Amino acid sequence: PLYNVQRVDQQIKPRQPPARPPQIFPLLCLHCTIMASPPRSPGQPNRPCSEDGIPVVDLAVLVNGDARERSQAVRHLGRACQDWGFFMVTNHGVPEDLQSAMMDACKELFGLPPEQKAEFMDAGPMDPVRVGTGFNSAVDGARYWRDYVKMFAHPELHCPAKPDGLRGVAAEYAARTRGLLLELTAAISESLGLPAGRIAERLDLGSCFQILVGNHYPPCAAGPDDDDGAVGLPAHSDHGLLTLLFQNGVDGLQVKHDGRWLLAKPIPGSFFVIAGDQLEIVSNGRYKGVLHRALVDRAQARMSCVSLLGPCLDAVVKPVPELAVPPLGLEFRGVKYRDYMEHQQSNKLNEKGALDLVRVQRHILTDTLCSS
């Protein structure tokens, strides 16, 4: 039968209130947090990739490194975006206690009685709070083994009233991860040969859109004809600019690289960073939004927390003109981010099919030029 939230309620018990007072996370800017971090010792490795080849970006070097180190780090980040569309970021300044608190709060929400979540279960793709199963149950056409909560976090935080601690934790987590993603965006802009603030200016990131997502994938034995395991989410690219993800120690995220699926195993203390469709558009296709999917473990529940950064909802996203010069030309036409997001979220996930909405069709251009 279709997996649903009621089944989660049977498996996950709400946490008991903590015996000690709740933790308070001071509102510090990410740059200050990184500046206060101790420098790496000479013997500490600055790994450019993990053991399985996934690129690793050290944010402390991007922020604090000397000119030579920083130049190398920016080039490495550019190669990661171009060749993978996916990397891990370390020394990011987001406290582990805050990450744990965010995951615990989402877990507690999934364990609430159904009536306390009912008002959010019929929400549409553009509603600011949504609780549900699969991807979009109205159009899925498949049984994806997943429960989720989605909360618009910026420019304004929207959050369920229960559990009690969720709003405070979500506000601090959103602020910290937003700062991290904006730092990465500036470095990505530089890696394209642009000024650090060029992409932010182009996408009006001063009024950026941010969404927080908590995912719960219950254990599920694969069917007899399914070698990979049950699917929590099928192959897709994200509608935003950059996505930040961490998980509860149970692997299941796969990325497509060089035509094959690779299980992403995080190095301790890192976040996964996933390039989205808006980065592909604004970079005129130089950096690709990566295909990824989530598989379900046969024996253990998997949880992940996502922070997605996108342009201002009313920004018209199109390639930076400096990146659309001959012989490449223009790869994408402009689209309002709000319209793109609604289109992608309202339809069945189809890998990168949403980009066809804005992709320039070369044969149409050629026919037009010939006829003129």
Side-chain angles (χ1 to χ4, degrees), residues 25 91 140 144 214 267 319 329 337:
F25 299 99
N91 293 319
D140 275 346
Y144 301 133
I267 62 176
Y337 178 48

Side-chain angles (χ1 to χ4, degrees), residues 23-24 104 108 137 140 249 277 340 368:
Q23 291 175 289
I24 299 175
D104 287 347
E108 189 171 355
S137 58
D140 275 346
D277 292 345
Y340 187 92
T368 302

Side-chain angles (χ1 to χ4, degrees), residues 59-74:
L59 189 69
V61 174
L62 286 175
V63 173
N64 298 331
D66 61 32
R68 183 186 60 82
E69 288 181 322
R70 196 173 179 284
S71 177
Q72 290 178 342
V74 167

